[in-house]
Amino acid sequence: MDNDQKRDVMDVSAPQTPDYPAENMPKQDVERPRVDTSGVSPQEGGYFLNKFLEGDAEKKAAEEAEAAAAAPAPAGDKPASKEELEGNIVAALQEIYDPEIPVNIYELGLIYGVDIDDDWRVRVTMTLTTPHCPVAESMPGEVELKVNTVAGVNGCDVKLVWEPAWDMSKMSDEARLELGLL
């Protein structure tokens, strides 16, 4: 094989020249597998990795469910009334801030309603400042996660609506003061 044919082949063997100190030399000659002979294409590798991670996630979720079922519920965790639960939910929503405006989404007027049914499931009706809002995909999920952390909530559904459209009149006086509009 001449040099033109060897240039595309990477030599991963240990050098045989005495120019390198002994401590930098490999202890043993290692057989390295060739990438093109592994039998699994990159696409298949991604598929198998996802299947592995899904199985791991299912196993972990099952273990967490068993642990949650075995743990006793803390006393006094559930609010006494729907009004108290709604107040706790509003307090949780006031911790979520619009990334472009330094005001929480509740004071900004993005939350149109918090409805609690008899089995303590919560339905939040909300909007965004514009349909082209950069957090249009993530904000409803963030609201759902936050509401689900409130003690006494047995699940949450978030409904994103565009009618009535949000405008500045929906902001609270605190939000207007914060933004210097009062």
Side-chain angles (χ1 to χ4, degrees):
M1 193 184 287
D2 61 355
N3 280 345
D4 288 337
Q5 291 175 339
K6 280 180 96 176
R7 70 174 189 196
D8 291 336
V9 177
M10 187 168 126
D11 183 17
V12 293
S13 61
Q16 301 299 322
T17 61
D19 297 345
Y20 299 100
E23 61 268 7
N24 290 352
M25 299 298 284
K27 301 287 185 232
Q28 62 185 4
D29 205 13
V30 177
E31 180 70 28
R32 291 177 174 82
R34 291 183 49 158
V35 174
D36 60 349
T37 61
S38 67
V40 178
S41 71
Q43 292 83 6
E44 292 171 326
Y47 169 79
F48 289 115
L49 176 63
N50 288 340
K51 283 296 185 188
F52 172 76
L53 293 175
E54 286 171 7
D56 195 35
E58 289 171 2
K59 182 180 173 186
K60 190 174 187 178
E63 290 172 356
E64 289 174 358
E66 287 176 17
D77 208 25
K78 193 172 183 179
S81 66
K82 287 184 180 182
E83 291 77 23
E84 183 182 345
L85 179 61
E86 185 173 350
N88 294 344
I89 291 169
V90 167
L93 292 173
Q94 288 175 331
E95 295 175 4
I96 302 173
Y97 283 80
D98 186 293
E100 298 173 325
I101 306 169
V103 177
N104 70 64
I105 63 171
Y106 190 81
E107 299 297 332
L108 200 55
L110 298 180
I111 304 298
Y112 286 169
V114 176
D115 300 315
I116 305 167
D117 61 17
D118 292 334
D119 64 346
W120 301 82
R121 280 195 61 78
V122 178
R123 180 177 179 105
V124 177
T125 305
M126 67 173 293
T127 191
L128 299 172
T129 53
T130 174
H132 304 292
C133 182
V135 293
E137 292 182 13
S138 63
M139 185 68 75
E142 187 177 352
V143 167
E144 182 179 352
L145 288 173
K146 187 60 104 173
V147 170
N148 278 323
T149 63
V150 175
V153 172
N154 284 338
C156 176
D157 298 315
V158 176
K159 183 177 181 187
L160 187 62
V161 297
W162 301 110
E163 293 293 328
W166 180 88
D167 60 21
M168 292 177 58
S169 68
K170 300 201 182 336
M171 293 188 335
S172 70
D173 290 340
E174 291 85 6
R176 290 184 184 158
L177 185 62
E178 182 74 29
L179 296 173
L181 301 174
L182 277 183

mmCIF file of all heavy atoms in Angstrom, residues 58-88:
data_model
loop_
_atom_site.group_PDB
_atom_site.id
_atom_site.type_symbol
_atom_site.label_atom_id
_atom_site.label_comp_id
_atom_site.label_asym_id
_atom_site.label_seq_id
_atom_site.Cartn_x
_atom_site.Cartn_y
_atom_site.Cartn_z
ATOM 1 N N GLU A 58 -39.870 3.574 33.118
ATOM 2 C CA GLU A 58 -41.041 2.830 33.604
ATOM 3 C C GLU A 58 -40.729 2.146 34.924
ATOM 4 O O GLU A 58 -41.542 2.150 35.839
ATOM 5 C CB GLU A 58 -41.468 1.806 32.560
ATOM 6 C CG GLU A 58 -42.099 2.423 31.327
ATOM 7 C CD GLU A 58 -42.321 1.418 30.213
ATOM 8 O OE1 GLU A 58 -42.019 0.221 30.413
ATOM 9 O OE2 GLU A 58 -42.787 1.829 29.141
ATOM 10 N N LYS A 59 -39.550 1.565 35.016
ATOM 11 C CA LYS A 59 -39.142 0.879 36.247
ATOM 12 C C LYS A 59 -39.055 1.875 37.405
ATOM 13 O O LYS A 59 -39.545 1.618 38.503
ATOM 14 C CB LYS A 59 -37.794 0.197 36.028
ATOM 15 C CG LYS A 59 -37.294 -0.581 37.219
ATOM 16 C CD LYS A 59 -35.949 -1.227 36.893
ATOM 17 C CE LYS A 59 -35.359 -1.865 38.119
ATOM 18 N NZ LYS A 59 -34.011 -2.371 37.873
ATOM 19 N N LYS A 60 -38.458 3.038 37.129
ATOM 20 C CA LYS A 60 -38.315 4.058 38.168
ATOM 21 C C LYS A 60 -39.682 4.590 38.608
ATOM 22 O O LYS A 60 -39.929 4.784 39.792
ATOM 23 C CB LYS A 60 -37.443 5.196 37.633
ATOM 24 C CG LYS A 60 -37.028 6.190 38.670
ATOM 25 C CD LYS A 60 -36.051 7.191 38.076
ATOM 26 C CE LYS A 60 -35.500 8.091 39.148
ATOM 27 N NZ LYS A 60 -34.529 9.035 38.624
ATOM 28 N N ALA A 61 -40.597 4.803 37.642
ATOM 29 C CA ALA A 61 -41.937 5.287 37.967
ATOM 30 C C ALA A 61 -42.688 4.267 38.820
ATOM 31 O O ALA A 61 -43.398 4.638 39.762
ATOM 32 C CB ALA A 61 -42.712 5.593 36.696
ATOM 33 N N ALA A 62 -42.527 2.983 38.511
ATOM 34 C CA ALA A 62 -43.184 1.940 39.300
ATOM 35 C C ALA A 62 -42.645 1.925 40.728
ATOM 36 O O ALA A 62 -43.406 1.791 41.689
ATOM 37 C CB ALA A 62 -42.994 0.582 38.640
ATOM 38 N N GLU A 63 -41.320 2.076 40.876
ATOM 39 C CA GLU A 63 -40.725 2.111 42.215
ATOM 40 C C GLU A 63 -41.211 3.329 42.998
ATOM 41 O O GLU A 63 -41.510 3.230 44.186
ATOM 42 C CB GLU A 63 -39.196 2.132 42.105
ATOM 43 C CG GLU A 63 -38.601 0.830 41.615
ATOM 44 C CD GLU A 63 -37.109 0.941 41.326
ATOM 45 O OE1 GLU A 63 -36.545 2.053 41.442
ATOM 46 O OE2 GLU A 63 -36.511 -0.089 40.985
ATOM 47 N N GLU A 64 -41.307 4.488 42.337
ATOM 48 C CA GLU A 64 -41.787 5.703 43.005
ATOM 49 C C GLU A 64 -43.249 5.561 43.417
ATOM 50 O O GLU A 64 -43.649 6.026 44.486
ATOM 51 C CB GLU A 64 -41.602 6.915 42.103
ATOM 52 C CG GLU A 64 -40.158 7.340 41.933
ATOM 53 C CD GLU A 64 -39.984 8.455 40.922
ATOM 54 O OE1 GLU A 64 -40.980 8.886 40.307
ATOM 55 O OE2 GLU A 64 -38.838 8.897 40.757
ATOM 56 N N ALA A 65 -44.062 4.915 42.561
ATOM 57 C CA ALA A 65 -45.469 4.717 42.884
ATOM 58 C C ALA A 65 -45.617 3.800 44.102
ATOM 59 O O ALA A 65 -46.450 4.050 44.976
ATOM 60 C CB ALA A 65 -46.214 4.137 41.689
ATOM 61 N N GLU A 66 -44.796 2.753 44.175
ATOM 62 C CA GLU A 66 -44.830 1.857 45.330
ATOM 63 C C GLU A 66 -44.430 2.604 46.600
ATOM 64 O O GLU A 66 -45.038 2.438 47.655
ATOM 65 C CB GLU A 66 -43.904 0.666 45.115
ATOM 66 C CG GLU A 66 -44.421 -0.337 44.106
ATOM 67 C CD GLU A 66 -43.424 -1.461 43.856
ATOM 68 O OE1 GLU A 66 -42.491 -1.650 44.673
ATOM 69 O OE2 GLU A 66 -43.583 -2.161 42.845
ATOM 70 N N ALA A 67 -43.391 3.425 46.490
ATOM 71 C CA ALA A 67 -42.931 4.184 47.655
ATOM 72 C C ALA A 67 -43.994 5.187 48.107
ATOM 73 O O ALA A 67 -44.215 5.376 49.299
ATOM 74 C CB ALA A 67 -41.622 4.898 47.337
ATOM 75 N N ALA A 68 -44.664 5.822 47.156
ATOM 76 C CA ALA A 68 -45.706 6.794 47.502
ATOM 77 C C ALA A 68 -46.904 6.103 48.142
ATOM 78 O O ALA A 68 -47.523 6.642 49.067
ATOM 79 C CB ALA A 68 -46.144 7.562 46.258
ATOM 80 N N ALA A 69 -47.234 4.913 47.663
ATOM 81 C CA ALA A 69 -48.363 4.182 48.233
ATOM 82 C C ALA A 69 -48.047 3.708 49.653
ATOM 83 O O ALA A 69 -48.920 3.650 50.508
ATOM 84 C CB ALA A 69 -48.718 2.992 47.349
ATOM 85 N N ALA A 70 -46.790 3.372 49.901
ATOM 86 C CA ALA A 70 -46.391 2.879 51.217
ATOM 87 C C ALA A 70 -46.263 4.016 52.236
ATOM 88 O O ALA A 70 -46.423 3.804 53.430
ATOM 89 C CB ALA A 70 -45.070 2.130 51.117
ATOM 90 N N ALA A 71 -45.982 5.228 51.764
ATOM 91 C CA ALA A 71 -45.789 6.355 52.679
ATOM 92 C C ALA A 71 -47.139 6.876 53.154
ATOM 93 O O ALA A 71 -48.056 7.072 52.360
ATOM 94 C CB ALA A 71 -45.025 7.477 51.971
ATOM 95 N N PRO A 72 -47.277 7.121 54.451
ATOM 96 C CA PRO A 72 -48.544 7.661 54.943
ATOM 97 C C PRO A 72 -48.706 9.123 54.524
ATOM 98 O O PRO A 72 -47.738 9.858 54.424
ATOM 99 C CB PRO A 72 -48.410 7.545 56.458
ATOM 100 C CG PRO A 72 -46.944 7.530 56.720
ATOM 101 C CD PRO A 72 -46.314 6.888 55.514
ATOM 102 N N ALA A 73 -49.937 9.517 54.276
ATOM 103 C CA ALA A 73 -50.210 10.906 53.888
ATOM 104 C C ALA A 73 -50.032 11.806 55.097
ATOM 105 O O ALA A 73 -50.485 11.483 56.188
ATOM 106 C CB ALA A 73 -51.634 11.025 53.354
ATOM 107 N N PRO A 74 -49.344 12.939 54.949
ATOM 108 C CA PRO A 74 -49.161 13.841 56.078
ATOM 109 C C PRO A 74 -50.504 14.409 56.543
ATOM 110 O O PRO A 74 -51.357 14.737 55.740
ATOM 111 C CB PRO A 74 -48.248 14.935 55.545
ATOM 112 C CG PRO A 74 -48.104 14.729 54.095
ATOM 113 C CD PRO A 74 -48.690 13.396 53.748
ATOM 114 N N ALA A 75 -50.651 14.521 57.836
ATOM 115 C CA ALA A 75 -51.899 15.030 58.409
ATOM 116 C C ALA A 75 -52.012 16.529 58.135
ATOM 117 O O ALA A 75 -51.039 17.263 58.165
ATOM 118 C CB ALA A 75 -51.923 14.767 59.910
ATOM 119 N N GLY A 76 -53.230 16.976 57.872
ATOM 120 C CA GLY A 76 -53.466 18.399 57.664
ATOM 121 C C GLY A 76 -52.965 18.892 56.327
ATOM 122 O O GLY A 76 -52.830 20.077 56.118
ATOM 123 N N ASP A 77 -52.656 17.992 55.393
ATOM 124 C CA ASP A 77 -52.113 18.361 54.107
ATOM 125 C C ASP A 77 -53.189 18.943 53.192
ATOM 126 O O ASP A 77 -52.929 19.837 52.421
ATOM 127 C CB ASP A 77 -51.473 17.134 53.475
ATOM 128 C CG ASP A 77 -50.344 17.484 52.529
ATOM 129 O OD1 ASP A 77 -49.730 18.550 52.688
ATOM 130 O OD2 ASP A 77 -50.096 16.694 51.621
ATOM 131 N N LYS A 78 -54.405 18.419 53.292
ATOM 132 C CA LYS A 78 -55.485 18.842 52.415
ATOM 133 C C LYS A 78 -56.148 20.111 52.973
ATOM 134 O O LYS A 78 -56.438 20.200 54.152
ATOM 135 C CB LYS A 78 -56.504 17.713 52.321
ATOM 136 C CG LYS A 78 -57.506 17.869 51.227
ATOM 137 C CD LYS A 78 -58.332 16.605 51.120
ATOM 138 C CE LYS A 78 -59.297 16.702 49.971
ATOM 139 N NZ LYS A 78 -60.089 15.492 49.833
ATOM 140 N N PRO A 79 -56.379 21.092 52.112
ATOM 141 C CA PRO A 79 -57.030 22.309 52.592
ATOM 142 C C PRO A 79 -58.468 22.029 53.042
ATOM 143 O O PRO A 79 -59.096 21.074 52.603
ATOM 144 C CB PRO A 79 -57.010 23.239 51.385
ATOM 145 C CG PRO A 79 -56.406 22.507 50.272
ATOM 146 C CD PRO A 79 -56.010 21.167 50.720
ATOM 147 N N ALA A 80 -58.976 22.886 53.894
ATOM 148 C CA ALA A 80 -60.306 22.694 54.473
ATOM 149 C C ALA A 80 -61.425 22.977 53.474
ATOM 150 O O ALA A 80 -62.492 22.383 53.571
ATOM 151 C CB ALA A 80 -60.465 23.592 55.695
ATOM 152 N N SER A 81 -61.198 23.855 52.518
ATOM 153 C CA SER A 81 -62.273 24.219 51.583
ATOM 154 C C SER A 81 -61.701 24.497 50.195
ATOM 155 O O SER A 81 -60.497 24.652 50.015
ATOM 156 C CB SER A 81 -63.002 25.459 52.083
ATOM 157 O OG SER A 81 -62.131 26.573 52.042
ATOM 158 N N LYS A 82 -62.605 24.583 49.238
ATOM 159 C CA LYS A 82 -62.195 24.906 47.877
ATOM 160 C C LYS A 82 -61.637 26.318 47.796
ATOM 161 O O LYS A 82 -60.713 26.583 47.021
ATOM 162 C CB LYS A 82 -63.373 24.746 46.920
ATOM 163 C CG LYS A 82 -63.752 23.311 46.656
ATOM 164 C CD LYS A 82 -64.856 23.230 45.631
ATOM 165 C CE LYS A 82 -65.247 21.794 45.361
ATOM 166 N NZ LYS A 82 -66.288 21.680 44.345
ATOM 167 N N GLU A 83 -62.174 27.222 48.608
ATOM 168 C CA GLU A 83 -61.685 28.600 48.611
ATOM 169 C C GLU A 83 -60.239 28.662 49.089
ATOM 170 O O GLU A 83 -59.416 29.407 48.541
ATOM 171 C CB GLU A 83 -62.569 29.490 49.482
ATOM 172 C CG GLU A 83 -63.958 29.730 48.924
ATOM 173 C CD GLU A 83 -64.901 28.539 49.104
ATOM 174 O OE1 GLU A 83 -64.666 27.703 50.015
ATOM 175 O OE2 GLU A 83 -65.856 28.428 48.319
ATOM 176 N N GLU A 84 -59.936 27.872 50.133
ATOM 177 C CA GLU A 84 -58.558 27.822 50.635
ATOM 178 C C GLU A 84 -57.629 27.228 49.586
ATOM 179 O O GLU A 84 -56.523 27.730 49.363
ATOM 180 C CB GLU A 84 -58.508 27.000 51.926
ATOM 181 C CG GLU A 84 -57.130 26.951 52.555
ATOM 182 C CD GLU A 84 -57.086 26.093 53.806
ATOM 183 O OE1 GLU A 84 -58.154 25.761 54.358
ATOM 184 O OE2 GLU A 84 -55.966 25.749 54.219
ATOM 185 N N LEU A 85 -58.096 26.168 48.910
ATOM 186 C CA LEU A 85 -57.289 25.548 47.854
ATOM 187 C C LEU A 85 -57.055 26.532 46.718
ATOM 188 O O LEU A 85 -55.946 26.650 46.204
ATOM 189 C CB LEU A 85 -57.965 24.274 47.338
ATOM 190 C CG LEU A 85 -57.230 23.541 46.221
ATOM 191 C CD1 LEU A 85 -55.847 23.075 46.691
ATOM 192 C CD2 LEU A 85 -58.036 22.358 45.731
ATOM 193 N N GLU A 86 -58.095 27.272 46.337
ATOM 194 C CA GLU A 86 -57.945 28.251 45.271
ATOM 195 C C GLU A 86 -56.924 29.325 45.653
ATOM 196 O O GLU A 86 -56.104 29.747 44.836
ATOM 197 C CB GLU A 86 -59.289 28.890 44.928
ATOM 198 C CG GLU A 86 -59.200 29.823 43.742
ATOM 199 C CD GLU A 86 -60.555 30.331 43.284
ATOM 200 O OE1 GLU A 86 -61.592 29.829 43.754
ATOM 201 O OE2 GLU A 86 -60.557 31.249 42.444
ATOM 202 N N GLY A 87 -56.954 29.765 46.917
ATOM 203 C CA GLY A 87 -55.959 30.736 47.386
ATOM 204 C C GLY A 87 -54.544 30.184 47.304
ATOM 205 O O GLY A 87 -53.609 30.890 46.910
ATOM 206 N N ASN A 88 -54.376 28.895 47.642
ATOM 207 C CA ASN A 88 -53.051 28.261 47.552
ATOM 208 C C ASN A 88 -52.598 28.145 46.100
ATOM 209 O O ASN A 88 -51.415 28.320 45.791
ATOM 210 C CB ASN A 88 -53.078 26.879 48.208
ATOM 211 C CG ASN A 88 -53.316 26.943 49.703
ATOM 212 O OD1 ASN A 88 -53.176 27.996 50.326
ATOM 213 N ND2 ASN A 88 -53.703 25.823 50.291
#
